Amino acid sequence: QVQLVESGGGLVQAGGSLRLSCAASGRTFSSYSMGWFRQAPGKEREFVATISWTGGRTYYADSVKGRFTISRDYTKNTVYLRMNSLLPEDTAVYYCAAASRWDSGSYYLPDPYDYWGQGTQVTVSS
């Protein structure tokens, strides 16, 4: 069982930056690939970024590539999402998720992710 708690959301002006954190409980953090998804009002949950259990592979949605960076700290059981050059369309609830297994054909889908956090709101004003 893995419990995930996100933090770091808030209100920021367009062009600004935020860093989201996701703290994971349990001693098996290092065996999970970690991802970030987001959901805007009236829209479906969408993939943002993911990092493999080794930290050696990262993938990003095209809409955030070059602006967002995902990373993980094994000593703190925490995964981060650094968000730069924020746009109003980045406004959403951001969710952290843990997957025991994904591959190149599934990392962007919600299905492989076994555990989810409660979400943190990010609002970007224009």
Side-chain angles (χ1 to χ4, degrees), residues 3 9 14 20 30-31 38 53 60 67 69 72 80-81 93 97 101 104 109 118 122 124:
Q3 291 185 328
L20 305 183
S30 61
S31 64
R38 66 187 182 186
W53 65 277
Y60 296 91
R67 300 188 297 122
T69 303
R72 64 191 300 167
Y80 302 99
L81 185 68
V93 177
R101 184 181 305 162
S104 59
L109 299 172
Q118 83 289 347
V122 172
V124 184

Side-chain angles (χ1 to χ4, degrees), residues 31-95:
S31 64
Y32 284 87
S33 295
M34 302 297 296
W36 288 96
F37 288 73
R38 66 187 182 186
Q39 188 167 17
K43 295 187 176 181
E44 292 189 353
R45 190 170 298 189
E46 65 173 2
F47 168 76
V48 176
T50 193
I51 186 166
S52 64
W53 65 277
T54 65
R57 287 184 292 167
T58 57
Y59 298 101
Y60 296 91
D62 288 342
S63 58
V64 307
K65 203 171 292 183
R67 300 188 297 122
F68 291 10
T69 303
I70 189 171
S71 61
R72 64 191 300 167
D73 185 334
Y74 294 94
T75 65
K76 297 181 179 179
N77 279 10
T78 300
V79 62
Y80 302 99
L81 185 68
R82 177 66 180 182
M83 305 185 294
N84 296 328
S85 303
L86 283 161
L87 304 169
E89 47 264 47
D90 294 318
T91 295
V93 177
Y94 283 70
Y95 297 91

